[in-house]
Amino acid sequence: MVCLSAFVVAFAGCGTFRDAIDDPGSNIGGGGGGGTTPPSTGYTSTVSIQLETTDKNGETVVTEYTDTDGMTAQWQNATSLMTAEFNEQGFASCAGLDGEYSVTISGLNDDVDEKDPVYYAYNTNAYTTSNNYRDIVITIYEVIIPDRNSSTEGSGPYDPINISDIGIYRTEITYEGQMIYFHFTPRQNGSFSLTSWMNAAEDLVDPVLYAYFGSAQYVNIDNPVIVDDGGTNGKFTSNFRYEVQFSKAMIGGACVFAITAASYTGEFPVEVYFALSYDDDYDRPTTPERVIVPEEEFKNATAEEGTLTYVYEETRVDESGVRYAVFDQDLVGLNPDDGYYHLLDDSGKPEGPLLYAYISSASPIYGTAIINVEDDGNNILTIYVGDDRRDYALMLQGYDLAYRKWETIVRSSYQGQPESVIQEVIANRRPGDGSYMGYEDVKGYNDYANIDGMYPVTAELKDFFQLFAKGQMLFMDGMGWVEGSTFNGYHYDAYDDSMWLAFCAYYA
């Protein structure tokens, strides 16, 4: 079968619309609208399709796909777009080619059974033919359409569609400007990518991905990373590609992203296909974990009177009455006589009110007590400082609480097992298994906090909270999740060296 061609002009640009010489898709499956017959010289390229599935044993199964009635293949380079219909044997061929062409197919989901819909997709970025590589086999995959627990799921960052499986997904944009939100929680560490699989030869849909900074407690919706390139481009369509890495310590965390799309014709709904792929192993440099033991010579913290108050410099009040404040460590200092931080007095000495850290109670900004932040199974109290891997849980919790938390995890993991089995696991604990074996005499800040859950700020507490605030992206040049919210009428920012003050207060 001879393919038909039409002249096209390629424009550079990431999702930027330029007027087309022909309407996008005008040559797709319609014979090219008066295209010319290509010359007899050059090579012939043949396209076929295979379906890749996974059986119940997890084995990959590849079968020939011949349900191609009405489908076309496209060969596109910088100056031409050629199309050919698939024949009854499931092949499409184009003669007279010279050089490299990207290869795509159209019509794959044109005859979906509405009663039992099954959609297929393929990587529109992956296939290129050339003088030395002429026969193309396109692999298609069955699309995952995530289940929704409600009609509103996916409508916002706090009501997202939850996904964790590697695979190809389909989402529908029903109107211009609509964004569908997803929450990706990986099952293993690794480097993952999100890539849209829209047909750049058809050139009808331009997908865009929004990736958000945040943590388990908050998503900063005001400063997303906007990704609209990285894959194959047409004149209107620009496929996105976004990479995210999860180390072993980050398992339990999540990537929040949203997908939207523009329609060349202005008609909606449009479908967006995207691949969630596992690309490679990933982990932070493997260094021994160093359990941090507190240096503080503990004493019971005093129960003081007054209201716990942040240390900040107020900068302005906006028209709506929101007060803007900046955490500034120049307002406090370490008193060498008692080893604790104090507010500066009128003479500039650290002899003002004692500064306390939130230990067993929650900082109003962060919302979770620091001794409980790992209760959902994450490992965020282990912090990398260069190649130094520091575990601060014991310093904060003390052995008694740390051991009880470990035992709770064991019981949850062996839920349903006889008590004798659970007791055997507990009895056979080993150093380094999370039970803090060998640290039985270590007390932590939690053991000496006052009735409000506070302990005076030491140098080691200050250093920890500064590292933690950075790791949790509380403040990040306007993109941190604290900077994206208002708390009790205050909008907080922090100087780079003063982030730790978000976990500290004094009695006023």
PDB file of all heavy atoms in Angstrom, residues 407-437:
ATOM      1  N   GLU A 407       7.611  -1.647  68.699  1.00  0.00           N
ATOM      2  CA  GLU A 407       6.765  -2.801  69.018  1.00  0.00           C
ATOM      3  C   GLU A 407       5.401  -2.667  68.345  1.00  0.00           C
ATOM      4  O   GLU A 407       4.829  -3.664  67.869  1.00  0.00           O
ATOM      5  CB  GLU A 407       6.602  -2.940  70.528  1.00  0.00           C
ATOM      6  CG  GLU A 407       5.811  -4.178  70.936  1.00  0.00           C
ATOM      7  CD  GLU A 407       5.692  -4.349  72.435  1.00  0.00           C
ATOM      8  OE1 GLU A 407       6.314  -3.554  73.178  1.00  0.00           O
ATOM      9  OE2 GLU A 407       4.966  -5.260  72.876  1.00  0.00           O
ATOM     10  N   THR A 408       4.878  -1.457  68.278  1.00  0.00           N
ATOM     11  CA  THR A 408       3.595  -1.234  67.598  1.00  0.00           C
ATOM     12  C   THR A 408       3.694  -1.589  66.124  1.00  0.00           C
ATOM     13  O   THR A 408       2.782  -2.204  65.553  1.00  0.00           O
ATOM     14  CB  THR A 408       3.163   0.236  67.759  1.00  0.00           C
ATOM     15  OG1 THR A 408       2.990   0.528  69.149  1.00  0.00           O
ATOM     16  CG2 THR A 408       1.859   0.510  67.018  1.00  0.00           C
ATOM     17  N   ILE A 409       4.809  -1.223  65.500  1.00  0.00           N
ATOM     18  CA  ILE A 409       5.020  -1.554  64.088  1.00  0.00           C
ATOM     19  C   ILE A 409       5.097  -3.064  63.902  1.00  0.00           C
ATOM     20  O   ILE A 409       4.529  -3.627  62.958  1.00  0.00           O
ATOM     21  CB  ILE A 409       6.297  -0.871  63.569  1.00  0.00           C
ATOM     22  CG1 ILE A 409       6.107   0.645  63.539  1.00  0.00           C
ATOM     23  CG2 ILE A 409       6.668  -1.390  62.183  1.00  0.00           C
ATOM     24  CD1 ILE A 409       7.358   1.422  63.202  1.00  0.00           C
ATOM     25  N   VAL A 410       5.801  -3.754  64.803  1.00  0.00           N
ATOM     26  CA  VAL A 410       5.910  -5.212  64.732  1.00  0.00           C
ATOM     27  C   VAL A 410       4.526  -5.844  64.819  1.00  0.00           C
ATOM     28  O   VAL A 410       4.166  -6.722  64.019  1.00  0.00           O
ATOM     29  CB  VAL A 410       6.829  -5.752  65.839  1.00  0.00           C
ATOM     30  CG1 VAL A 410       6.755  -7.283  65.908  1.00  0.00           C
ATOM     31  CG2 VAL A 410       8.260  -5.312  65.600  1.00  0.00           C
ATOM     32  N   ARG A 411       3.733  -5.409  65.767  1.00  0.00           N
ATOM     33  CA  ARG A 411       2.404  -5.996  65.947  1.00  0.00           C
ATOM     34  C   ARG A 411       1.515  -5.719  64.737  1.00  0.00           C
ATOM     35  O   ARG A 411       0.710  -6.569  64.342  1.00  0.00           O
ATOM     36  CB  ARG A 411       1.758  -5.459  67.225  1.00  0.00           C
ATOM     37  CG  ARG A 411       2.442  -5.974  68.489  1.00  0.00           C
ATOM     38  CD  ARG A 411       1.690  -5.559  69.751  1.00  0.00           C
ATOM     39  NE  ARG A 411       2.297  -6.176  70.925  1.00  0.00           N
ATOM     40  CZ  ARG A 411       2.050  -7.416  71.336  1.00  0.00           C
ATOM     41  NH1 ARG A 411       1.168  -8.153  70.662  1.00  0.00           N
ATOM     42  NH2 ARG A 411       2.636  -7.900  72.398  1.00  0.00           N
ATOM     43  N   SER A 412       1.661  -4.549  64.152  1.00  0.00           N
ATOM     44  CA  SER A 412       0.874  -4.241  62.956  1.00  0.00           C
ATOM     45  C   SER A 412       1.302  -5.121  61.789  1.00  0.00           C
ATOM     46  O   SER A 412       0.463  -5.608  61.014  1.00  0.00           O
ATOM     47  CB  SER A 412       1.050  -2.762  62.588  1.00  0.00           C
ATOM     48  OG  SER A 412       0.384  -2.454  61.395  1.00  0.00           O
ATOM     49  N   SER A 413       2.617  -5.366  61.661  1.00  0.00           N
ATOM     50  CA  SER A 413       3.127  -6.179  60.561  1.00  0.00           C
ATOM     51  C   SER A 413       2.702  -7.641  60.690  1.00  0.00           C
ATOM     52  O   SER A 413       2.542  -8.339  59.696  1.00  0.00           O
ATOM     53  CB  SER A 413       4.655  -6.080  60.500  1.00  0.00           C
ATOM     54  OG  SER A 413       5.068  -4.748  60.302  1.00  0.00           O
ATOM     55  N   TYR A 414       2.548  -8.118  61.950  1.00  0.00           N
ATOM     56  CA  TYR A 414       2.204  -9.522  62.179  1.00  0.00           C
ATOM     57  C   TYR A 414       0.756  -9.674  62.650  1.00  0.00           C
ATOM     58  O   TYR A 414       0.425 -10.620  63.350  1.00  0.00           O
ATOM     59  CB  TYR A 414       3.163 -10.136  63.212  1.00  0.00           C
ATOM     60  CG  TYR A 414       4.540 -10.386  62.668  1.00  0.00           C
ATOM     61  CD1 TYR A 414       5.485  -9.370  62.620  1.00  0.00           C
ATOM     62  CD2 TYR A 414       4.903 -11.638  62.184  1.00  0.00           C
ATOM     63  CE1 TYR A 414       6.745  -9.584  62.101  1.00  0.00           C
ATOM     64  CE2 TYR A 414       6.170 -11.866  61.666  1.00  0.00           C
ATOM     65  CZ  TYR A 414       7.091 -10.830  61.632  1.00  0.00           C
ATOM     66  OH  TYR A 414       8.345 -11.060  61.112  1.00  0.00           O
ATOM     67  N   GLN A 415      -0.075  -8.710  62.249  1.00  0.00           N
ATOM     68  CA  GLN A 415      -1.471  -8.741  62.649  1.00  0.00           C
ATOM     69  C   GLN A 415      -2.129 -10.045  62.198  1.00  0.00           C
ATOM     70  O   GLN A 415      -1.980 -10.482  61.064  1.00  0.00           O
ATOM     71  CB  GLN A 415      -2.210  -7.543  62.043  1.00  0.00           C
ATOM     72  CG  GLN A 415      -3.619  -7.361  62.575  1.00  0.00           C
ATOM     73  CD  GLN A 415      -4.238  -6.076  62.054  1.00  0.00           C
ATOM     74  OE1 GLN A 415      -3.735  -5.472  61.131  1.00  0.00           O
ATOM     75  NE2 GLN A 415      -5.340  -5.661  62.654  1.00  0.00           N
ATOM     76  N   GLY A 416      -2.840 -10.694  63.127  1.00  0.00           N
ATOM     77  CA  GLY A 416      -3.488 -11.957  62.822  1.00  0.00           C
ATOM     78  C   GLY A 416      -2.671 -13.169  63.211  1.00  0.00           C
ATOM     79  O   GLY A 416      -3.193 -14.294  63.247  1.00  0.00           O
ATOM     80  N   GLN A 417      -1.383 -12.958  63.496  1.00  0.00           N
ATOM     81  CA  GLN A 417      -0.527 -14.065  63.931  1.00  0.00           C
ATOM     82  C   GLN A 417      -0.728 -14.328  65.427  1.00  0.00           C
ATOM     83  O   GLN A 417      -1.107 -13.425  66.191  1.00  0.00           O
ATOM     84  CB  GLN A 417       0.943 -13.738  63.662  1.00  0.00           C
ATOM     85  CG  GLN A 417       1.284 -13.583  62.190  1.00  0.00           C
ATOM     86  CD  GLN A 417       1.240 -14.912  61.457  1.00  0.00           C
ATOM     87  OE1 GLN A 417       1.548 -15.961  62.029  1.00  0.00           O
ATOM     88  NE2 GLN A 417       0.826 -14.870  60.199  1.00  0.00           N
ATOM     89  N   PRO A 418      -0.457 -15.544  65.881  1.00  0.00           N
ATOM     90  CA  PRO A 418      -0.564 -15.843  67.316  1.00  0.00           C
ATOM     91  C   PRO A 418       0.378 -14.954  68.133  1.00  0.00           C
ATOM     92  O   PRO A 418       1.449 -14.562  67.660  1.00  0.00           O
ATOM     93  CB  PRO A 418      -0.153 -17.318  67.404  1.00  0.00           C
ATOM     94  CG  PRO A 418      -0.375 -17.858  66.030  1.00  0.00           C
ATOM     95  CD  PRO A 418      -0.110 -16.738  65.093  1.00  0.00           C
ATOM     96  N   GLU A 419      -0.014 -14.669  69.353  1.00  0.00           N
ATOM     97  CA  GLU A 419       0.807 -13.830  70.232  1.00  0.00           C
ATOM     98  C   GLU A 419       2.183 -14.444  70.445  1.00  0.00           C
ATOM     99  O   GLU A 419       3.190 -13.723  70.579  1.00  0.00           O
ATOM    100  CB  GLU A 419       0.099 -13.638  71.578  1.00  0.00           C
ATOM    101  CG  GLU A 419       0.869 -12.792  72.593  1.00  0.00           C
ATOM    102  CD  GLU A 419       1.058 -11.350  72.154  1.00  0.00           C
ATOM    103  OE1 GLU A 419       0.295 -10.893  71.263  1.00  0.00           O
ATOM    104  OE2 GLU A 419       1.961 -10.681  72.694  1.00  0.00           O
ATOM    105  N   SER A 420       2.258 -15.782  70.450  1.00  0.00           N
ATOM    106  CA  SER A 420       3.556 -16.434  70.644  1.00  0.00           C
ATOM    107  C   SER A 420       4.518 -16.093  69.512  1.00  0.00           C
ATOM    108  O   SER A 420       5.725 -15.928  69.735  1.00  0.00           O
ATOM    109  CB  SER A 420       3.368 -17.951  70.736  1.00  0.00           C
ATOM    110  OG  SER A 420       2.755 -18.458  69.549  1.00  0.00           O
ATOM    111  N   VAL A 421       4.006 -15.979  68.267  1.00  0.00           N
ATOM    112  CA  VAL A 421       4.842 -15.616  67.131  1.00  0.00           C
ATOM    113  C   VAL A 421       5.340 -14.176  67.281  1.00  0.00           C
ATOM    114  O   VAL A 421       6.518 -13.873  67.058  1.00  0.00           O
ATOM    115  CB  VAL A 421       4.065 -15.788  65.816  1.00  0.00           C
ATOM    116  CG1 VAL A 421       4.874 -15.243  64.631  1.00  0.00           C
ATOM    117  CG2 VAL A 421       3.716 -17.247  65.591  1.00  0.00           C
ATOM    118  N   ILE A 422       4.430 -13.282  67.669  1.00  0.00           N
ATOM    119  CA  ILE A 422       4.796 -11.878  67.842  1.00  0.00           C
ATOM    120  C   ILE A 422       5.841 -11.738  68.937  1.00  0.00           C
ATOM    121  O   ILE A 422       6.839 -11.008  68.789  1.00  0.00           O
ATOM    122  CB  ILE A 422       3.543 -11.037  68.154  1.00  0.00           C
ATOM    123  CG1 ILE A 422       2.575 -11.081  66.966  1.00  0.00           C
ATOM    124  CG2 ILE A 422       3.928  -9.594  68.484  1.00  0.00           C
ATOM    125  CD1 ILE A 422       1.243 -10.412  67.238  1.00  0.00           C
ATOM    126  N   GLN A 423       5.663 -12.444  70.049  1.00  0.00           N
ATOM    127  CA  GLN A 423       6.620 -12.357  71.149  1.00  0.00           C
ATOM    128  C   GLN A 423       7.990 -12.881  70.728  1.00  0.00           C
ATOM    129  O   GLN A 423       9.026 -12.365  71.168  1.00  0.00           O
ATOM    130  CB  GLN A 423       6.092 -13.137  72.352  1.00  0.00           C
ATOM    131  CG  GLN A 423       4.942 -12.475  73.083  1.00  0.00           C
ATOM    132  CD  GLN A 423       5.317 -11.115  73.657  1.00  0.00           C
ATOM    133  OE1 GLN A 423       6.464 -10.865  74.014  1.00  0.00           O
ATOM    134  NE2 GLN A 423       4.330 -10.217  73.727  1.00  0.00           N
ATOM    135  N   GLU A 424       8.016 -13.889  69.876  1.00  0.00           N
ATOM    136  CA  GLU A 424       9.295 -14.427  69.406  1.00  0.00           C
ATOM    137  C   GLU A 424      10.037 -13.403  68.556  1.00  0.00           C
ATOM    138  O   GLU A 424      11.253 -13.244  68.673  1.00  0.00           O
ATOM    139  CB  GLU A 424       9.066 -15.709  68.609  1.00  0.00           C
ATOM    140  CG  GLU A 424      10.367 -16.368  68.140  1.00  0.00           C
ATOM    141  CD  GLU A 424      10.125 -17.667  67.396  1.00  0.00           C
ATOM    142  OE1 GLU A 424       8.956 -18.069  67.284  1.00  0.00           O
ATOM    143  OE2 GLU A 424      11.099 -18.260  66.945  1.00  0.00           O
ATOM    144  N   VAL A 425       9.292 -12.692  67.701  1.00  0.00           N
ATOM    145  CA  VAL A 425       9.911 -11.647  66.885  1.00  0.00           C
ATOM    146  C   VAL A 425      10.474 -10.547  67.773  1.00  0.00           C
ATOM    147  O   VAL A 425      11.606 -10.082  67.587  1.00  0.00           O
ATOM    148  CB  VAL A 425       8.889 -11.063  65.890  1.00  0.00           C
ATOM    149  CG1 VAL A 425       9.485  -9.862  65.159  1.00  0.00           C
ATOM    150  CG2 VAL A 425       8.460 -12.125  64.893  1.00  0.00           C
ATOM    151  N   ILE A 426       9.697 -10.141  68.761  1.00  0.00           N
ATOM    152  CA  ILE A 426      10.139  -9.086  69.667  1.00  0.00           C
ATOM    153  C   ILE A 426      11.368  -9.532  70.456  1.00  0.00           C
ATOM    154  O   ILE A 426      12.326  -8.761  70.646  1.00  0.00           O
ATOM    155  CB  ILE A 426       8.988  -8.681  70.606  1.00  0.00           C
ATOM    156  CG1 ILE A 426       7.859  -8.002  69.799  1.00  0.00           C
ATOM    157  CG2 ILE A 426       9.484  -7.757  71.711  1.00  0.00           C
ATOM    158  CD1 ILE A 426       6.606  -7.728  70.609  1.00  0.00           C
ATOM    159  N   ALA A 427      11.358 -10.766  70.906  1.00  0.00           N
ATOM    160  CA  ALA A 427      12.474 -11.276  71.714  1.00  0.00           C
ATOM    161  C   ALA A 427      13.759 -11.405  70.909  1.00  0.00           C
ATOM    162  O   ALA A 427      14.856 -11.313  71.470  1.00  0.00           O
ATOM    163  CB  ALA A 427      12.099 -12.627  72.319  1.00  0.00           C
ATOM    164  N   ASN A 428      13.631 -11.598  69.611  1.00  0.00           N
ATOM    165  CA  ASN A 428      14.806 -11.823  68.772  1.00  0.00           C
ATOM    166  C   ASN A 428      15.222 -10.565  68.007  1.00  0.00           C
ATOM    167  O   ASN A 428      15.796 -10.661  66.920  1.00  0.00           O
ATOM    168  CB  ASN A 428      14.537 -12.959  67.780  1.00  0.00           C
ATOM    169  CG  ASN A 428      14.507 -14.309  68.462  1.00  0.00           C
ATOM    170  OD1 ASN A 428      15.464 -14.703  69.125  1.00  0.00           O
ATOM    171  ND2 ASN A 428      13.393 -15.023  68.318  1.00  0.00           N
ATOM    172  N   ARG A 429      14.954  -9.407  68.563  1.00  0.00           N
ATOM    173  CA  ARG A 429      15.376  -8.167  67.916  1.00  0.00           C
ATOM    174  C   ARG A 429      16.898  -8.095  67.835  1.00  0.00           C
ATOM    175  O   ARG A 429      17.610  -8.728  68.619  1.00  0.00           O
ATOM    176  CB  ARG A 429      14.813  -6.949  68.657  1.00  0.00           C
ATOM    177  CG  ARG A 429      15.301  -6.782  70.087  1.00  0.00           C
ATOM    178  CD  ARG A 429      14.439  -5.770  70.833  1.00  0.00           C
ATOM    179  NE  ARG A 429      14.835  -5.648  72.230  1.00  0.00           N
ATOM    180  CZ  ARG A 429      15.414  -4.575  72.747  1.00  0.00           C
ATOM    181  NH1 ARG A 429      15.671  -3.531  71.978  1.00  0.00           N
ATOM    182  NH2 ARG A 429      15.724  -4.530  74.023  1.00  0.00           N
ATOM    183  N   ARG A 430      17.372  -7.312  66.887  1.00  0.00           N
ATOM    184  CA  ARG A 430      18.798  -7.184  66.661  1.00  0.00           C
ATOM    185  C   ARG A 430      19.172  -5.710  66.528  1.00  0.00           C
ATOM    186  O   ARG A 430      18.340  -4.894  66.149  1.00  0.00           O
ATOM    187  CB  ARG A 430      19.208  -7.914  65.370  1.00  0.00           C
ATOM    188  CG  ARG A 430      18.996  -9.421  65.404  1.00  0.00           C
ATOM    189  CD  ARG A 430      20.009 -10.096  66.331  1.00  0.00           C
ATOM    190  NE  ARG A 430      19.877 -11.554  66.283  1.00  0.00           N
ATOM    191  CZ  ARG A 430      19.073 -12.246  67.082  1.00  0.00           C
ATOM    192  NH1 ARG A 430      18.334 -11.618  67.993  1.00  0.00           N
ATOM    193  NH2 ARG A 430      19.011 -13.555  67.004  1.00  0.00           N
ATOM    194  N   PRO A 431      20.413  -5.349  66.839  1.00  0.00           N
ATOM    195  CA  PRO A 431      20.841  -3.954  66.634  1.00  0.00           C
ATOM    196  C   PRO A 431      20.630  -3.525  65.192  1.00  0.00           C
ATOM    197  O   PRO A 431      20.914  -4.275  64.253  1.00  0.00           O
ATOM    198  CB  PRO A 431      22.338  -4.003  66.990  1.00  0.00           C
ATOM    199  CG  PRO A 431      22.474  -5.158  67.924  1.00  0.00           C
ATOM    200  CD  PRO A 431      21.470  -6.182  67.439  1.00  0.00           C
ATOM    201  N   GLY A 432      20.086  -2.335  65.026  1.00  0.00           N
ATOM    202  CA  GLY A 432      19.878  -1.796  63.687  1.00  0.00           C
ATOM    203  C   GLY A 432      18.549  -2.131  63.059  1.00  0.00           C
ATOM    204  O   GLY A 432      18.285  -1.721  61.932  1.00  0.00           O
ATOM    205  N   ASP A 433      17.689  -2.892  63.765  1.00  0.00           N
ATOM    206  CA  ASP A 433      16.398  -3.260  63.178  1.00  0.00           C
ATOM    207  C   ASP A 433      15.286  -2.275  63.507  1.00  0.00           C
ATOM    208  O   ASP A 433      14.127  -2.519  63.215  1.00  0.00           O
ATOM    209  CB  ASP A 433      15.990  -4.670  63.600  1.00  0.00           C
ATOM    210  CG  ASP A 433      15.713  -4.791  65.105  1.00  0.00           C
ATOM    211  OD1 ASP A 433      15.855  -3.775  65.818  1.00  0.00           O
ATOM    212  OD2 ASP A 433      15.372  -5.892  65.556  1.00  0.00           O
ATOM    213  N   GLY A 434      15.641  -1.145  64.100  1.00  0.00           N
ATOM    214  CA  GLY A 434      14.641  -0.139  64.442  1.00  0.00           C
ATOM    215  C   GLY A 434      14.187  -0.194  65.875  1.00  0.00           C
ATOM    216  O   GLY A 434      13.426   0.668  66.328  1.00  0.00           O
ATOM    217  N   SER A 435      14.641  -1.207  66.629  1.00  0.00           N
ATOM    218  CA  SER A 435      14.209  -1.351  68.021  1.00  0.00           C
ATOM    219  C   SER A 435      15.123  -0.603  68.986  1.00  0.00           C
ATOM    220  O   SER A 435      14.859  -0.572  70.172  1.00  0.00           O
ATOM    221  CB  SER A 435      14.191  -2.832  68.412  1.00  0.00           C
ATOM    222  OG  SER A 435      15.513  -3.363  68.437  1.00  0.00           O
ATOM    223  N   TYR A 436      16.204  -0.028  68.474  1.00  0.00           N
ATOM    224  CA  TYR A 436      17.195   0.708  69.279  1.00  0.00           C
ATOM    225  C   TYR A 436      17.800  -0.175  70.371  1.00  0.00           C
ATOM    226  O   TYR A 436      18.063   0.276  71.484  1.00  0.00           O
ATOM    227  CB  TYR A 436      16.607   2.000  69.851  1.00  0.00           C
ATOM    228  CG  TYR A 436      16.247   2.973  68.755  1.00  0.00           C
ATOM    229  CD1 TYR A 436      14.933   3.122  68.346  1.00  0.00           C
ATOM    230  CD2 TYR A 436      17.235   3.695  68.096  1.00  0.00           C
ATOM    231  CE1 TYR A 436      14.608   3.981  67.300  1.00  0.00           C
ATOM    232  CE2 TYR A 436      16.919   4.563  67.070  1.00  0.00           C
ATOM    233  CZ  TYR A 436      15.610   4.690  66.672  1.00  0.00           C
ATOM    234  OH  TYR A 436      15.289   5.543  65.646  1.00  0.00           O
ATOM    235  N   MET A 437      18.024  -1.438  70.011  1.00  0.00           N
ATOM    236  CA  MET A 437      18.706  -2.350  70.924  1.00  0.00           C
ATOM    237  C   MET A 437      20.125  -1.823  71.193  1.00  0.00           C
ATOM    238  O   MET A 437      20.839  -1.421  70.272  1.00  0.00           O
ATOM    239  CB  MET A 437      18.785  -3.751  70.313  1.00  0.00           C
ATOM    240  CG  MET A 437      19.346  -4.789  71.250  1.00  0.00           C
ATOM    241  SD  MET A 437      19.340  -6.424  70.464  1.00  0.00           S
ATOM    242  CE  MET A 437      19.925  -7.432  71.821  1.00  0.00           C
TER     243      MET A 437
END
